[in-house]
Amino acid sequence: MGLAEITPGISGATIAGLFNVYQEFVRIISFFSPSQFKFSFKVIAKNINLRFSVPLFLGMITAIFLAVNLINYLITNFLFEFKIFLSILMM
């Protein structure tokens, strides 16, 4: 999902739906709504599935970090080849 967030034309919600985690993901995100949010570790632990959300968010952050650095490396060192690769992907 992290890679989908930085890839143009691919929705993170679509990837979440494909991997059957969309409903749980939306439930976790909606908990942080300003109207519902109450900062208490008991409330957070009760309403958020930490076994699901912690690995998901760590994986998303890791994927974004690695993908951004890879894209930066490719643009810096292989600009022409990277443009060709992107052009082929867009066809």
Side-chain angles (χ1 to χ4, degrees):
M1 284 179 53
L3 186 59
E5 296 299 333
I6 65 166
T7 306
I10 299 177
S11 168
T14 303
I15 301 299
L18 288 173
F19 288 107
N20 202 24
V21 297
Y22 182 78
Q23 289 179 336
E24 184 71 17
F25 183 68
V26 169
R27 191 179 70 77
I28 291 168
I29 296 297
S30 66
F31 174 74
F32 292 102
S33 168
S35 63
Q36 294 181 343
F37 187 68
K38 295 179 178 100
F39 188 76
S40 166
F41 289 113
K42 287 182 182 180
V43 173
I44 291 173
K46 180 182 174 188
N47 292 315
I48 294 180
N49 182 357
L50 293 176
R51 289 182 151 195
F52 171 79
S53 60
V54 170
L56 178 68
F57 288 120
L58 286 176
M60 287 174 66
I61 291 168
T62 303
I64 290 170
F65 178 75
L66 292 175
V68 166
N69 284 317
L70 174 65
I71 291 169
N72 186 36
Y73 173 78
L74 291 173
I75 288 173
T76 303
N77 297 309
F78 302 100
L79 181 61
F80 180 74
E81 293 87 354
F82 188 63
K83 285 181 180 179
I84 299 262
F85 174 71
L86 290 178
S87 299
I88 291 170
L89 283 179
M90 288 189 262
M91 292 174 121

